[in-house]
Amino acid sequence: MFDARPQHNEYLRHRAQQFRSQVARRLDGSLTEDEFKPLRLMNGVYLQLHAYMLRVAIPYGTISPDQMRTLALLAEKWDKGYGHWTTRQNIQYNWPKLVDIPDMLDALADVGLHAIQTSGNTIRNVTTDAYAGAAADEVVDPRPYAELLRAWSTDHAEFQFLPRKFKIAISGGEKDRAVIAAHDIGLRLRRNEAGELGFQVWIGGGLGRTPILGQVVREFLPEADLLPYVEAIISAYNLAGRRDNKYKARIKITVAERGLDVMRDEIEAEFLNRRAVFTGVDQDMVAEFRAVYAAPAFRNETDGDYEERRAASVGFRSWTDTNLSTHKAPGYASVMVTFKAPGQTPGDASADQMRLLADLAERYGHADLRISHDQNVVLPHVHKSDLFALYSELKAAGLATANAGLVSDIVACPGMDYCALATARSIPIAQEIADHFRARDIEDEIGKIDIRISGCINACGHHHLGHIGILGLDRAGVENYQITLGGDGYDIPAIGQRPGAGFPAEEVVPAIDRIINTYLDLRDSAEERFIDAYRRVGAAPFKAALYPVNA
Amino acid sequence: MSKTFTPSIATPAVITANDLRMGHCVWMRDGGWTADPREAQLFEDEAIAEIAMLDAIGQANLVVGPYLAEARRGPDGRPEPTHFREAFRRRGPSNYFHGIQAELEASNV
């Protein structure tokens, strides 16, 4: 995260001090809970099932080693030794005491981190591709624009009380890895026929109880117009968005009810007004951020003994086959470190693991770390000659699980094990599925597949986007799990469809097993992924496998 | 989430909330709040429960979000949850043995 400006940290310390005063006034009775609740939410503090929860923003998932060490400090000193990566590239702490949270915010402020706007009806953490600045297919690094949006949206006076929360994602690759179609605003960097840089702008996407994919409101927005256009979108939404019903307040409903053309007309009219008053300081800032996010000094070296090591070690070869992504620089790879080891809670990271990753990023990864949408951590720039050493250190710490994108790399929200909104648990279901397929020892045979679980219709586990999605519900006082099929957040955005009735908790693993067996039987080759096979044959064979009696 | 209902002998209830400072689950007992759900007071009379809820709401300096949760009388006479959500609040998360429940057990060893 960019935090080079001293005034940024000073501002964060001021905010932490402000919250300290608010906590003191709540405790001495000067503030009621009704008065205090919006104040704590403005600082990312929720009250969950068993404890308070502090959600810390990791802007666009980019974090430095020192910031990672501070996250470890918080886990160790004020929590129970771990934190939880979220699907929005943030971290959550599940056990802080209210009286300690001001100290936690002070520690975060020391390294330019905070929990501002991680809750409330405001612009949330801007998200992007975990491989930004590294991916081989990248058109332009999206992070300077993500930082511009972060700096602009933080404490933006006009947008602190929107009809509902507002999420922006930005993608810079040929392939969308930021799931822009599932965001209130999705931005896709591209060049037009003249070679000029700009954005394809999507609006009105979102998951939750009414999952809707966004629509393109502007095919090409010149790069310099980003802020006035985004401001115009949110301003139009701020005026038109419904405040009478929180379930109909997101921009996706505004667009659906009013129509894209009406929204576009209002946005374009507002855009003309807003653009006129932009002085160009935003472009100066983008230039500054581009310098901050300039590519590191990549080494021009041979791959060393990389291939020999791959040939000699089955474990290393499996890990490189599964957890590496193609890098834009010769001799480099991006490494996905998964937090989905056997028995692990998906996305939980211990303080020791965080510190190790900080050290490894400095030693092997140009001091760069990313939190991914799928609750893992990416070291975006690792030279191939360092991969075996990196792998060895990760393996010693239990962090070299070769399952990135496989059936045990399951995305799961905290569910009813932590969340006050949840209607069923997610974590044990994810663990049971992962354990089952590990026991069958067919993870590699199944290949790439995206399984996602949410413990309620708010869909924090992004189950709608899973090739296989699972939604936990309360059916007459019993946990029940609906299955969706065919969702996709990355290649061809799609909302998963429900083939039939849900299953009791103990029947989820057998149901997923039948789905996987059906896929293995009908795929046309080992290279055909689950989602591709599903698209080819449709839902019918999977439905028949799920509900054999009714088929 | 617990539904709204009227406590009675057929549908008893406990009053539960979260501790303001620490955040953990607490249950109303005679004369205060306890982190041990087995010590919770079981309400089987609507009027008494209503007065107790008013008392709980008045203790905003101690607890957050008090509500009536349906319960039943167990074989030992102590309250037991009827819904899985309340069962999870009593035993803590299923992935780690953490929270006030773990602390209580450790203190009893």
Side-chain angles (χ1 to χ4, degrees):
Chain A
M1 174 192 166
F2 177 70
D3 65 345
R5 293 160 297 172
Q7 67 269 30
H8 175 68
N9 292 21
E10 199 52 45
Y11 163 74
L12 297 182
R13 288 191 191 94
H14 171 73
R15 279 287 299 254
Q17 180 57 40
Q18 194 179 49
F19 187 60
R20 185 180 296 278
S21 165
Q22 291 161 353
V23 169
R25 283 184 285 147
R26 173 65 181 97
L27 294 176
D28 74 14
S30 305
L31 289 175
T32 66
E33 184 61 21
D34 284 348
E35 291 165 335
F36 178 63
K37 184 176 178 181
L39 302 175
R40 66 169 159 80
L41 290 175
M42 288 174 76
N43 290 280
V45 182
Y46 291 73
L47 181 56
Q48 298 285 30
L49 206 62
H50 304 292
Y52 288 97
M53 181 269 277
L54 175 65
R55 180 182 295 147
V56 175
I58 300 177
Y60 36 97
T62 297
I63 190 167
S64 72
D66 280 345
Q67 289 172 328
M68 183 69 101
R69 291 187 184 100
T70 295
L71 298 184
L73 173 72
L74 262 61
E76 201 165 66
K77 188 169 181 180
W78 292 293
D79 207 87
K80 294 189 181 297
Y82 66 95
H84 179 77
W85 310 125
T86 79
T87 51
R88 300 207 71 258
Q89 299 184 291
N90 292 319
I91 187 170
Q92 294 180 176
Y93 295 95
N94 287 322
W95 299 99
K97 302 175 179 70
L98 180 61
V99 290
D100 288 338
I101 292 174
D103 290 340
M104 298 171 80
L105 296 182
D106 280 344
L108 291 168
D110 286 344
V111 291
L113 289 173
H114 59 81
I116 298 166
Q117 292 180 204
T118 59
S119 178
N121 294 333
T122 184
I123 300 169
R124 301 291 187 88
N125 186 33
V126 176
T127 55
T128 191
D129 180 1
Y131 297 99
D137 72 342
E138 189 165 84
V139 178
V140 176
D141 186 344
R143 289 174 300 161
Y145 304 98
E147 173 57 20
L148 178 70
L149 291 167
R150 186 206 64 78
W152 158 84
S153 64
T154 301
D155 253 1
H156 193 302
E158 185 182 351
F159 302 136
Q160 292 305 302
F161 298 97
L162 295 169
R164 277 290 277 146
K165 58 187 170 183
F166 202 90
K167 299 172 181 176
I168 303 174
I170 177 168
S171 177
E174 292 285 344
K175 184 175 177 178
D176 171 24
R177 283 175 293 267
V179 206
I180 59 172
H183 284 78
D184 297 290
I185 293 179
L187 300 163
R188 187 167 200 165
L189 276 156
R190 50 166 43 180
R191 291 192 185 278
N192 64 13
E193 291 179 356
E196 296 160 333
L197 193 60
F199 298 91
Q200 186 184 50
V201 184
W202 298 55
I203 62 169
L207 302 176
R209 71 175 58 211
T210 312
I212 297 176
L213 294 178
Q215 302 178 69
V216 176
V217 69
R218 252 287 191 133
E219 276 295 343
F220 189 81
L221 177 75
E223 172 203 20
D225 289 336
L226 175 64
L227 272 199
Y229 199 80
V230 167
E231 210 171 85
I233 294 171
I234 304 177
S235 172
Y237 162 62
N238 202 12
L239 285 171
R242 290 178 58 168
R243 287 179 157 87
D244 62 320
N245 182 340
K246 71 178 284 192
Y247 303 116
K248 296 184 177 180
R250 297 288 293 270
I251 192 175
K252 61 188 175 186
I253 304 297
T254 313
V255 173
E257 288 185 344
R258 294 161 60 86
L260 182 65
D261 290 339
V262 170
M263 287 297 292
R264 180 186 289 115
D265 289 347
E266 291 176 1
I267 291 165
E268 293 289 342
E270 186 66 22
F271 169 56
L272 290 178
N273 293 332
R274 300 236 171 198
R275 186 169 60 177
V277 298
F278 270 74
T279 61
V281 66
D282 51 322
Q283 296 309 299
D284 295 340
M285 291 173 76
V286 168
E288 183 185 355
F289 302 150
R290 269 199 207 101
V292 170
Y293 287 124
F298 293 126
R299 289 147 48 191
N300 184 18
E301 298 172 7
T302 69
D303 293 352
D305 60 359
Y306 172 66
E307 291 298 343
E308 289 81 355
R309 293 285 192 182
R310 265 176 52 84
S313 166
V314 173
F316 181 54
R317 187 166 66 249
S318 173
W319 180 78
T320 57
D321 285 345
T322 306
N323 291 33
L324 301 191
S325 294
T326 310
H327 200 279
K328 63 167 63 171
Y332 274 79
S334 297
V335 174
M336 176 77 82
V337 179
T338 82
F339 283 78
K340 318 288 175 60
Q344 183 169 13
T345 298
D348 275 9
S350 72
D352 287 344
Q353 289 171 332
M354 290 187 226
R355 288 199 186 94
L356 175 68
L357 285 177
D359 293 345
L360 296 178
E362 286 176 339
R363 205 172 308 147
Y364 304 117
H366 293 278
D368 199 348
L369 295 148
R370 312 291 173 78
I371 311 307
S372 77
H373 297 278
D374 34 17
Q375 301 174 295
N376 295 321
V377 174
V378 170
L379 297 174
H381 315 295
V382 182
H383 195 272
K384 287 183 177 175
S385 62
D386 289 330
L387 281 170
F388 186 75
L390 171 66
Y391 166 77
S392 301
E393 294 201 47
L394 289 172
K395 187 180 178 190
L399 281 171
T401 309
N403 68 340
L406 300 184
V407 72
S408 64
D409 185 10
I410 297 171
V411 172
C413 75
M416 196 179 271
D417 282 311
Y418 295 93
C419 180
L421 298 176
T423 47
R425 291 171 301 167
S426 300
I427 292 167
I429 301 296
Q431 291 173 323
E432 287 169 16
I433 294 169
D435 290 346
H436 173 78
F437 287 104
R438 283 184 175 120
R440 284 189 64 186
D441 196 21
I442 58 168
E443 273 204 275
D444 290 333
E445 185 184 344
I446 297 167
K448 297 289 184 181
I449 187 168
D450 193 353
I451 300 182
R452 295 168 178 265
I453 304 176
S454 300
C456 78
I457 56 174
N458 293 305
C460 292
H462 297 174
H463 65 277
H464 300 295
L465 301 177
H467 300 168
I468 300 173
I470 302 168
L471 167 62
L473 296 169
D474 175 350
R475 287 281 180 263
V478 177
E479 290 171 294
N480 187 274
Y481 295 86
Q482 287 182 354
I483 289 176
T484 55
L485 299 171
D488 190 357
Y490 294 116
D491 293 327
I492 305 169
I495 302 292
Q497 299 299 307
R498 187 159 63 94
F503 296 88
E506 62 275 13
E507 292 181 23
V508 174
V509 169
I512 303 298
D513 197 57
R514 294 200 294 280
I515 294 170
I516 295 296
N517 288 339
T518 302
Y519 155 66
L520 293 174
D521 287 343
L522 61 73
R523 68 182 178 184
D524 62 14
S525 74
E527 282 67 48
E528 188 181 42
R529 298 177 309 156
F530 174 87
I531 187 65
D532 299 323
Y534 178 85
R535 285 177 178 143
R536 178 171 56 81
V537 304
F542 298 98
K543 192 171 179 177
L546 277 172
Y547 309 103
V549 175
N550 300 327
Chain B
M1 187 63 73
S2 296
K3 61 190 177 190
T4 302
F5 67 98
T6 304
S8 67
I9 292 177
T11 58
V14 293
I15 293 176
T16 181
N18 287 80
D19 183 85
L20 169 63
R21 289 171 176 268
M22 313 298 277
H24 62 247
C25 302
V26 290
W27 289 264
M28 182 177 257
R29 68 176 174 191
D30 190 16
W33 296 91
T34 176
D36 185 346
R38 295 168 304 174
E39 296 177 357
Q41 183 175 352
L42 197 63
F43 295 96
E44 297 176 320
D45 181 278
E46 180 184 0
I48 293 172
E50 196 171 317
I51 291 168
M53 266 303 292
L54 290 172
D55 184 27
I57 292 167
Q59 297 185 49
N61 60 328
L62 296 176
V63 299
V64 183
Y67 63 95
L68 281 162
E70 194 171 341
R72 61 176 163 250
R73 190 177 292 281
D76 60 358
R78 292 171 181 266
E80 292 180 349
T82 59
H83 190 279
F84 61 88
R85 183 180 191 272
E86 293 306 315
F88 297 150
R89 288 182 79 247
R90 288 169 172 236
R91 76 174 189 226
S94 49
N95 57 336
Y96 305 112
F97 188 45
H98 273 172
I100 190 69
Q101 299 86 352
E103 291 168 25
L104 282 173
E105 184 166 305
S107 66
N108 288 334
V109 171

